[in-house]
Amino acid sequence: MSNQTGSAKGAQQQKVRLDKWLWAARFFKTRAAAKEAVEGGKVHYQGQRGKCSRTVEIGAKLVIRQGLDEKTVIIVAISDQRRGAPEAQLLYQETEESIKSREESAAVRKIMRGNGAPDHRPNKKERRKIIQFKDR
């Protein structure tokens, strides 16, 4: 039992850089991509623009912008090793407001996608129909 307690204590006091934690938590595919995102202002640590060398702490709040989505997560555990997705999800907890806002923005994007614009170039048959329609 004391062996497990010692390893848990060591895991809590582990010093891990912000870019390495983001990579281990699978927010970014490579450490270079994580570093680029942090330097580009896409990651805010405790309400301030993050730095790659920042040491992460349990309970810290991160705002991560990826593409059109923005996630707000709380750091629950610290790891510097990249593992499988189920284990990586145990490193953080996304806030309820973040989940709700992401779902709402996804729904809006889905509605906007159906605005009538085709997702491909018209083929020969479709072009004939367009020309016939315009001639009327």
Side-chain angles (χ1 to χ4, degrees), residues 68 102-120:
L68 299 173
R102 278 192 314 111
E103 288 173 351
E104 288 174 359
S105 64
V108 168
R109 285 194 305 267
K110 188 174 182 180
I111 291 169
M112 294 303 287
R113 210 174 326 146
N115 62 0
D119 58 346
H120 66 281

Side-chain angles (χ1 to χ4, degrees), residues 7 13 20 42 56 66 81-83 85 87 100 107-108 115 119 125 127 132:
S7 64
Q13 294 176 351
K20 196 167 189 176
K42 306 271 191 260
V56 294
Q66 289 181 305
Q81 294 181 338
R82 188 172 172 100
R83 306 227 184 233
E87 290 180 47
K100 186 176 179 182
V108 168
N115 62 0
D119 58 346
K125 185 176 181 180
R127 281 196 309 271
Q132 286 176 357

Side-chain angles (χ1 to χ4, degrees), residues 4-5 10-11 13 15 27 37 47 62-63 66 73-74 79 86 96 100 111-112 114 117 122-123 125 129 133:
Q4 289 178 338
T5 313
Q13 294 176 351
K15 292 185 177 183
F27 285 105
L62 289 175
V63 178
Q66 289 181 305
V73 298
I74 308 294
S79 175
E96 293 295 325
K100 186 176 179 182
I111 291 169
M112 294 303 287
N123 60 25
K125 185 176 181 180
K129 285 185 177 182
F133 179 75

Side-chain angles (χ1 to χ4, degrees), residues 8 15 17 25 32 48 52 57 61 66 74 88 98 103 106 122 133:
K15 292 185 177 183
R17 293 169 49 108
Q48 296 180 346
C52 295
E57 300 166 349
K61 182 178 177 182
Q66 289 181 305
I74 308 294
S98 173
E103 288 173 351
F133 179 75

Side-chain angles (χ1 to χ4, degrees), residues 1-13:
M1 278 257 176
S2 63
N3 215 5
Q4 289 178 338
T5 313
S7 64
K9 187 177 181 184
Q12 289 178 345
Q13 294 176 351

Side-chain angles (χ1 to χ4, degrees), residues 34 130 134:
I130 291 170
K134 283 183 178 179

Side-chain angles (χ1 to χ4, degrees), residues 23-40:
W23 167 77
R26 294 185 162 262
F27 285 105
F28 298 98
K29 203 167 192 174
T30 63
R31 275 191 68 189
K35 181 180 179 190
E36 192 175 302
V38 173
E39 288 174 348

